[in-house]
Amino acid sequence: MSDLGHVLVLAGGLSYEREVSLRSGRRVSEVLRAAGVDVEARDTDASLVPSMLADPPEAVFVTLHGGAGEDGAIRSILELLNVPYVGADPDACRVAFDKPTAKAVVRSVGLHTPESVTLPKETFHDLGATVVLGRIVERLGLPLFVKPARGGSALGASIVRTAEELPAAMVGCFAYGDTALIERYVEGVEVAVSVVDVGNGPEALPAVEIVPDEGVYDYAARYTAGHTEFFAPARLSPQAAAACAETAVTAHTALGLRDISRTDLIVDATGIPHFLEVNVAPGMTETSLLPMAAEAAGQDLGDLCRALLQNAAARFHP
């Protein structure tokens, strides 16, 4: 049995990624119970704070995706309540959740990241969409990748291979956020590298290679079994695998993250990894990448989640 007391798994919320979050929460709850932990799964509703005040948990595992789960808001509440939790603090979350800001930070420490333009919806409309989009294509070239500057699960994201496809991609992006990030698309191997720290410093788990059936790792490819082929560890040269691990740990450290993160990369034909974004509350579903990476490393997911909770509790009560 675990030496942890009562713990909470937070899942659900009101973001576009609610259903994925609920699946992550169920998976984490199941593996923790199997590891002997006393777990309660809770949504973020009006009863949450009174419940934690009446019966403070020993630690909280946040599996909220998008919105309040990753922008630091719920973690600010947990800090107000003096409740330990797994993951980055509110300030680090705010930096990492905003993709253009995260790209600027990792670029400042020497990591490669695709050249990009950040465009708020108001600017897009006020300055004339046609002219602005034309200049973007001239500046960045084709193909491009368009995605919301905040959020995850590839909602509102698309590849643009011709200039004619760009307006529709922007409309689709703005359906999920008020600011678009338009990046130069880097051809290569798509991988995700999870970083965990249970008290001995951040360590990269094996990279997971992502090969979607339709060529695009969109929402359906991420969360529908059989739509994407995964290789864990990724089919990379030892040198490229080491570079990916170093990139993920460097990003994790530069962004001030802790406990757990997942960095998404493209490895180009020369073996250089290019930083795309980082996730401070990685998916934990049956098709998610961190659990695959843990398995590839020979780690039991329940034991890992329990160790993360123990480390969080020790941080508040050393």
Side-chain angles (χ1 to χ4, degrees), residues 250-271:
T250 299
H252 180 98
T253 304
L255 291 163
L257 305 182
R258 68 184 182 196
D259 299 340
I260 188 171
S261 70
R262 192 199 72 232
T263 294
D264 298 337
L265 306 167
I266 293 286
V267 183
D268 68 21
T270 68

Side-chain angles (χ1 to χ4, degrees), residues 12 15-17 21 64-71 97 150-152 279 281:
S15 80
Y16 292 116
E17 299 172 72
S21 172
L64 297 164
H65 305 318
E70 298 182 64
D71 66 3
F97 188 58
R150 311 177 100 205
N279 191 307

Side-chain angles (χ1 to χ4, degrees), residues 13-231:
L14 296 176
S15 80
Y16 292 116
E17 299 172 72
R18 173 178 173 79
E19 291 306 314
V20 179
S21 172
L22 289 171
R23 288 170 57 184
S24 286
R26 281 195 295 270
R27 180 87 185 279
V28 170
S29 298
E30 288 168 1
V31 299
L32 282 172
R33 289 192 186 103
V37 180
D38 176 17
V39 180
E40 180 186 3
R42 290 293 304 268
D43 207 331
T44 53
D45 55 31
S47 68
L48 178 63
V49 171
S51 171
M52 286 195 290
L53 287 171
D55 182 18
E58 185 156 350
V60 172
F61 203 112
V62 180
T63 61
L64 297 164
H65 305 318
E70 298 182 64
D71 66 3
I74 195 68
R75 297 158 198 254
S76 293
I77 299 300
L78 294 173
E79 297 219 342
L80 282 173
L81 300 175
N82 290 318
V83 173
Y85 57 90
V86 172
D89 68 22
D91 288 342
C93 285
R94 281 187 280 272
V95 172
F97 188 58
D98 188 79
K99 296 180 180 70
T101 303
K103 282 168 63 73
V105 170
V106 302
R107 186 182 291 112
S108 74
V109 295
L111 298 183
H112 295 272
T113 187
E115 187 179 357
S116 62
V117 172
T118 304
L119 192 62
K121 184 191 297 185
E122 293 79 7
T123 305
F124 177 70
H125 288 300
D126 293 350
L127 297 184
T130 302
V131 174
V132 172
L133 295 184
R135 290 296 295 168
I136 289 173
V137 172
E138 286 182 30
R139 168 75 178 274
L140 300 180
L142 290 166
L144 298 168
F145 197 82
V146 178
K147 58 187 175 184
R150 311 177 100 205
S153 292
L155 293 167
S158 58
I159 296 175
V160 173
R161 299 197 179 277
T162 68
E164 291 73 26
E165 294 172 353
L166 186 52
M170 298 295 291
V171 171
C173 177
F174 287 137
Y176 290 95
D178 292 333
T179 302
L181 174 64
I182 306 104
E183 290 182 316
R184 177 177 291 147
Y185 182 71
V186 178
E187 298 280 359
V189 178
E190 187 169 0
V191 301
V193 183
S194 299
V195 173
V196 296
D197 182 355
V198 294
N200 302 313
E203 298 180 3
L205 297 177
V208 178
E209 181 181 347
I210 303 156
V211 186
D213 288 347
E214 301 298 325
V216 180
Y217 193 43
D218 58 13
Y219 186 91
R222 287 167 187 250
Y223 301 114
T224 306
H227 279 219
T228 300
E229 191 172 8
F230 301 98
F231 297 89

